[in-house]
Amino acid sequence: MQTELSKQLGAEHALFGFTPFPAVAAALSRAGGFGVLGAVRYTAPGDLRRDLDWIEAHAEGRPYGLDVVMPATKVEGVSEADVEAMIPQGHRRFVEETLAKYGVPELPEGEAAGWRITGWMEQVARTQLDVAFDYPIRLLANALGSPPADVVRRAHDRGVRVAALAGSARHARKHKDAGIDVVVAQGYEAGGHTGEIASMVLTPEVVEAVDPLPVLAAGGIGSGEQVAAALALGAQGVWTGSIWLTTTEADLHSPALTRKLLAATSGDTVRSRALTGKPARQLRTEWTDAWDDPAGPGTLPMPLQGLLVAEAVSRIQKYEIDPLLGTPVGQIVGRMTGERSVQAVFDDLTRGFERAVDRINRIAGRSGTS
């Protein structure tokens, strides 16, 4: 599972894993893949530094990267308070009425919501980069497309490659024009923010659009056979995420949520604007149904929706209100049927890849090469 890109980045296998959990990122790199730590939740630079220190101590010298959330263009002079003032009172009432319907308790006095809009603001992402560039990260990925041009230059000056997610060939060409080094073609099946094109169609379109830039295939990937298919479509590796949520190294802080993920089928997700205001694939719950109901007020655009529901989501998670409890996750959730270590999942991926390659070799009349 080694490609030119994985060789250049120092990884044994062209298997990239996005995760919000440092222990998962380090375990992925130790296994021979490439762990990528999601930085959006780190609003305090010291917290990010602590976890990067931990990865440094536990990745055994293997390569890893960081994923940030930065808009390509900067909006000047807009604070969180300015954004919050734009939220209609009717939407606030809808949130409180929905929480009251399910008996969701208030947060304890003095406890803030665990997820806030601040992690999505450019100035926060820049402080994350100030920390990250003190570490030997090999890849900087941006979940909102191409990062600002000065950030790309700053990464390149440090020998760090820059990746950006794309949901269409048009987006991918913009990344190439912006000097991006790696394009992640993220299909409709993926967890989190996605476009409307499935990965089987999207991957070869993006490969052709940005040639000779390397492309990573993403979206619903959780088997070695899918990895082989991605490489056959022209990708130089795969970008995975959801499959690591139920590993033993992940720290969801919610036994109830883990149980829901393990019980879910591939049809139990929905692409909804309920979480951030942009379409994001997540577990379908009575919370997503309420926001998608035409009788409701409808969602607000990003970033208003995220700020509106931040405290509500924290309350639902803290008290594990089962009908409302969900998380971003891709359609691959149907394969996530038991808690296993990162290494065990990784081994299944490599074995599945070998089986697929051997199968194609037999079909082509060649002997197995695995």
Side-chain angles (χ1 to χ4, degrees):
M1 289 168 59
Q2 192 168 67
T3 65
E4 188 60 32
L5 177 62
S6 65
K7 291 177 185 177
Q8 291 170 357
L9 291 172
E12 182 180 354
H13 298 289
L15 204 160
F16 296 71
F18 165 83
T19 175
F21 307 116
V24 175
L28 276 163
S29 293
R30 287 198 308 271
F34 194 100
V36 182
L37 179 67
V40 69
R41 67 189 179 96
Y42 294 98
T43 56
D47 292 343
L48 178 58
R49 189 174 297 279
R50 176 202 63 213
D51 283 354
L52 289 176
D53 283 339
W54 195 95
I55 292 176
E56 272 290 295
H58 293 85
E60 298 179 354
R62 303 294 183 91
Y64 62 92
L66 191 76
D67 180 279
V68 296
V69 178
M70 296 189 76
T73 56
K74 185 175 183 178
V75 179
E76 299 284 356
V78 178
S79 67
E80 183 174 334
D82 294 331
V83 176
E84 187 153 7
M86 302 176 190
I87 298 173
Q89 287 302 313
H91 282 73
R92 295 187 186 278
R93 283 194 300 273
F94 180 75
V95 169
E96 288 306 318
E97 289 168 359
T98 304
L99 295 176
K101 177 181 176 181
Y102 292 93
V104 183
E106 298 276 355
L107 290 175
E109 187 174 351
E111 182 173 326
W115 183 87
R116 299 291 287 178
I117 186 179
T118 46
W120 295 73
M121 299 181 78
E122 181 182 341
Q123 59 265 37
V124 175
R126 287 184 178 275
T127 64
Q128 293 166 351
L129 294 179
D130 290 340
V131 172
F133 285 140
D134 288 338
Y135 293 82
I137 61 170
R138 301 293 300 275
L139 183 73
L140 174 67
N142 189 41
L144 282 184
S146 303
D150 69 294
V151 171
V152 177
R153 289 193 299 270
R154 189 178 175 192
H156 287 168
D157 288 345
R158 289 163 172 77
V160 177
R161 297 197 178 207
V162 181
L165 275 64
S168 70
R170 178 175 60 86
H171 292 154
R173 281 189 285 267
K174 288 184 177 181
H175 296 339
K176 183 179 181 181
D177 293 342
I180 299 302
D181 305 293
V182 181
V183 177
V184 180
Q186 187 182 48
Y188 172 85
E189 312 95 323
H193 295 117
T194 69
E196 298 180 351
I197 305 173
S199 57
M200 186 64 117
V201 173
L202 179 65
T203 300
E205 284 187 354
V206 171
V207 168
E208 181 178 355
V210 302
D211 184 63
L213 288 186
V215 172
L216 297 176
I221 295 174
S223 75
E225 288 81 0
Q226 290 172 301
V227 177
L231 299 188
L233 292 172
Q236 285 206 31
V238 296
W239 180 274
T240 58
S242 298
I243 195 70
W244 311 110
L245 285 173
T246 52
T247 56
T248 52
E249 291 89 345
D251 191 7
L252 287 176
H253 300 292
S254 174
L257 181 55
T258 299
R259 286 195 300 272
K260 290 189 76 169
L261 288 170
L262 295 176
T265 70
S266 296
D268 290 329
T269 69
V270 63
R271 190 166 164 267
S272 171
R273 298 177 183 268
L275 187 61
T276 68
K278 284 192 174 185
R281 186 169 297 285
Q282 54 203 282
L283 280 181
R284 182 175 181 177
T285 66
E286 293 186 31
W287 178 256
T288 61
D289 285 350
W291 282 106
D292 295 337
D293 188 339
T299 57
L300 297 170
M302 180 187 274
L304 300 181
Q305 181 72 15
L307 185 57
L308 169 66
V309 304
E311 181 180 316
V313 170
S314 292
R315 289 164 62 182
I316 292 166
Q317 292 175 343
K318 180 179 181 66
Y319 299 108
E320 297 189 309
I321 308 301
D322 196 84
L324 306 179
L325 186 63
T327 187
V329 69
Q331 291 179 329
I332 197 63
V333 70
R335 291 184 64 96
M336 297 155 53
T337 57
E339 290 185 80
R340 297 182 295 161
S341 69
V342 167
Q343 185 67 62
V345 175
F346 202 96
D347 289 344
D348 271 358
L349 290 167
T350 55
R351 283 193 295 265
F353 177 80
E354 291 171 355
R355 287 194 301 270
V357 171
D358 285 347
R359 186 181 305 121
I360 295 301
N361 279 328
R362 288 196 299 273
I363 292 171
R366 291 189 285 268
S367 60
T369 57
S370 63

